[in-house]
Amino acid sequence: MSDCYGAIGYPLGHTVSPAFQQAAFDELGIDATYMAIETPTSDLSRRMSEVRNGRWAGLNVTIPHKSAIPRFLDGTAETAAAAGAVNTIYWRNGRLLGENTDVPAIGTVLENAEVKKGIRALVVGAGGAARAALLSLTARSDDVVIANRTRSNAEATINAVTPEQEIEILDLNSPSIGKVATECELIVNTTSVGMSGGPAPDESPLPTSALRLGQVVFDVVYRPEVTPLLAQAAEAGCRTIGGLEMLVIQGALSFELWTGKPAPLDTMMRAARTALATDSG
Ligand code: NAP
């Protein structure tokens, strides 16, 4: 019987993970299926019992379950423990474990784009993706500033993942956001502003005054591939990086945890692009 994998979250209507994970299993000739498994919070406990009972060989976890998952596991890997969030569930020697592959995915995206380390960086947002960005950027020795709409959420995020670091917090709507942002060489948007189907699909989280020639602007939002922020950044002469590469890399790292085999990244990226284009068209 083929092994079953999937992504749990709610709602899941927009996920492209099944397209690129299935393409990876097929490419390597692994008899497995990967599906979207809509799981409202009220069903999470039952879903995790199914994992224990062998129904699922491995899972990806997305909004809103990433921080609720550790209590269902036998342990969490170091990165997931530091992030307080799990996006990958896998078995190892009979133990059910959790990892967070968003953190290394961000590092890899920045490395692939040859973004210098130890630079001043602005993280916009303070949710789950911001936690991964904070961990990833501080591991690169970047000097991080965080800007969020709700200050208390930014404080909670810093206390949870980088309590020992001095990280400046800025109100996203503060008049000084433009000045502070232009002093940064890297901007990482982790808010859902600009995401299709999100709270503000046609907006950018930053004013034009925040962007300048030569900055690197990385938007973790991947739908659409060119978000309002990325369009605005390109116009200002910034180097832009979209969220799809991160999505595929975090999924590829999950695939490797499940199968122990190198993930076919090019195939996964092609499948993700096709799924996104088909779905948005
Ligand atoms: P989350 O935990 O719900 O956090 C949402 C963030 O967006 C918070 O900082 C929130 O600010 C901010 N926000 C929401 N609406 C806003 C608005 N109208 N104006 C200003 N700020 C607003 O979500 P998440 O899990 O971090 O995900 C955020 C985005 O990242 C989503 O689009 C998701 O698809 C994307 N993502 C991409 C990848 C990838 O692999 N490319 C991985 C993870 C996530 P407050 O604190 O003020 O509410």
Side-chain angles (χ1 to χ4, degrees):
M1 208 178 74
S2 81
D3 285 334
C4 292
Y5 295 85
I8 60 168
Y10 191 83
L12 267 185
H14 57 275
T15 181
V16 296
S17 294
F20 69 75
Q21 294 288 10
Q22 192 62 56
F25 284 121
D26 294 348
E27 166 96 6
L28 268 58
I30 298 172
D31 183 14
T33 52
Y34 186 105
M35 60 193 89
I37 316 157
E38 281 227 319
T39 306
T41 302
S42 54
D43 283 354
L44 186 59
S45 179
R46 183 173 60 85
R47 191 71 70 215
M48 292 309 293
S49 301
E50 289 176 1
V51 181
R52 289 267 172 209
N53 295 336
R55 168 83 176 85
W56 307 102
L59 293 176
N60 283 126
V61 182
T62 185
I63 297 174
H65 303 317
K66 286 184 184 182
S67 37
I69 288 296
R71 69 188 164 93
F72 295 101
L73 304 174
D74 299 320
T76 46
E78 200 181 329
T79 307
V86 161
N87 78 338
T88 308
I89 298 172
Y90 62 106
W91 287 99
R92 203 57 94 242
N93 304 322
R95 296 179 74 223
L96 192 59
L97 302 178
E99 180 54 292
N100 186 312
T101 63
D102 286 335
V103 178
I106 291 173
T108 303
V109 166
L110 296 176
E111 213 171 286
N112 288 349
E114 298 181 359
V115 177
K116 266 190 314 191
K117 293 184 179 174
I119 57 180
R120 189 150 168 84
L122 172 67
V123 171
V124 185
R131 285 182 174 217
L134 264 185
L135 275 176
S136 196
L137 296 184
T138 50
R140 285 166 32 96
S141 304
D142 290 339
D143 172 17
V144 180
V145 188
I146 184 164
N148 197 46
R149 178 180 60 176
T150 312
R151 188 181 174 91
S152 56
N153 290 346
E155 285 167 354
T157 289
I158 291 168
N159 285 338
V161 301
T162 48
E164 70 296 342
Q165 309 252 352
E166 282 282 317
I167 292 179
E168 189 186 330
I169 301 176
L170 201 68
D171 179 344
L172 189 52
N173 298 313
S174 145
S176 59
I177 186 78
K179 180 175 179 299
V180 175
T182 50
E183 285 163 6
C184 293
E185 288 180 69
L186 168 66
I187 295 175
V188 183
N189 173 50
T190 68
T191 72
S192 37
V193 176
M195 177 178 81
S196 306
D202 302 322
E203 289 176 24
S204 162
L206 291 171
T208 309
S209 63
L211 305 166
R212 61 155 170 88
L213 188 70
Q215 268 174 324
V216 179
V217 178
F218 172 20
D219 196 339
V220 306
V221 173
Y222 59 88
R223 185 190 297 269
E225 241 189 302
V226 181
T227 60
L229 170 64
L230 291 183
Q232 188 188 20
E235 180 103 339
C238 307
R239 199 143 66 88
T240 61
I241 306 172
L244 196 62
E245 185 185 355
M246 172 185 167
L247 181 76
V248 171
I249 292 173
Q250 61 79 31
L253 293 169
S254 304
F255 181 91
E256 292 176 355
L257 282 170
W258 298 325
T259 65
K261 297 182 193 307
L265 259 179
D266 291 348
T267 298
M268 295 174 91
M269 187 54 107
R270 256 196 316 276
R273 279 230 153 82
T274 305
L276 201 57
T278 313
D279 211 41
S280 313

